[in-house]
Amino acid sequence: MRPPSFRKNVPRSPHNNVPGSPASGRYQGGSGCSSVLCTSRAMSLLIRNMQRVVCLRRAPLRKNLEIARSCLGVGGFNVGVICINDARIRQINKRYRKKDAATDVLSFPFHEGLCPGFLPDPSFRDEYNLGDIYLGVEYIYRQCQETEEDFNNVLTMFKKENEVLMEINITTGSTLKPLSTNHFDH
């Protein structure tokens, strides 16, 4: 059973109905823009660490996610990043994707029917929301130990970005480069 929603056929985040979360549609931001659309200010990046298995450094995660949001041009939208353990991500994966296994990332978009590379065109301030991203921190950490990758970089997918773009370049003959090029000192 899906949480109550005005949208149909779109998986909802388990936190969408929590007042004050970005994906609830009732997030009140911090400025005095009551009913006026505020597109000129940055919106919220909510990071919640709801697991205690892996030590998570939230400051570098926030910094890297803010840079990624800026590079992608989505700083004007709310987004929630929720860090959870294997048991919780497995439960969510089973409920919404019918897969009884832990995974690394689950995403629950706020807007339906968007094509990759396109941003929503909100009509109301409450619609400036991309949705929630769940990170299976315990699962990601275990993968990093096996592959000897840097956990903090993998959390924000910088290595994966390069791999995906390389595959696209090989397949299409393009010369795409990461949006994060020259933004990091690692």
Side-chain angles (χ1 to χ4, degrees), residues 90-105:
R90 179 180 180 173
Q91 181 182 38
I92 295 169
N93 201 18
K94 183 177 181 180
R95 181 173 183 177
Y96 292 97
R97 297 181 63 225
K98 309 297 184 235
K99 296 188 179 193
D100 191 13
T103 188
D104 50 359
V105 179

Side-chain angles (χ1 to χ4, degrees), residues 1-75:
M1 181 174 174
R2 189 169 46 231
S5 169
F6 62 90
R7 301 175 310 154
K8 294 182 179 160
N9 301 323
V10 177
R12 292 294 299 223
S13 162
H15 292 301
N16 280 0
N17 295 320
V18 176
S21 74
S24 69
R26 296 184 297 272
Y27 185 76
Q28 295 303 313
S31 94
C33 307
S34 56
S35 62
V36 178
L37 290 179
C38 299
T39 57
S40 62
R41 71 177 187 89
M43 298 297 269
S44 295
L45 169 62
L46 172 72
I47 299 174
R48 292 185 67 188
N49 183 14
M50 299 180 70
Q51 59 83 41
R52 299 289 176 250
V53 179
V54 177
C55 180
L56 181 68
R57 295 175 25 216
R58 288 180 19 176
L61 177 61
R62 175 174 294 285
K63 176 186 167 208
N64 290 343
L65 289 172
E66 289 290 3
I67 291 170
R69 284 179 55 191
S70 175
C71 291
L72 294 170
V74 296

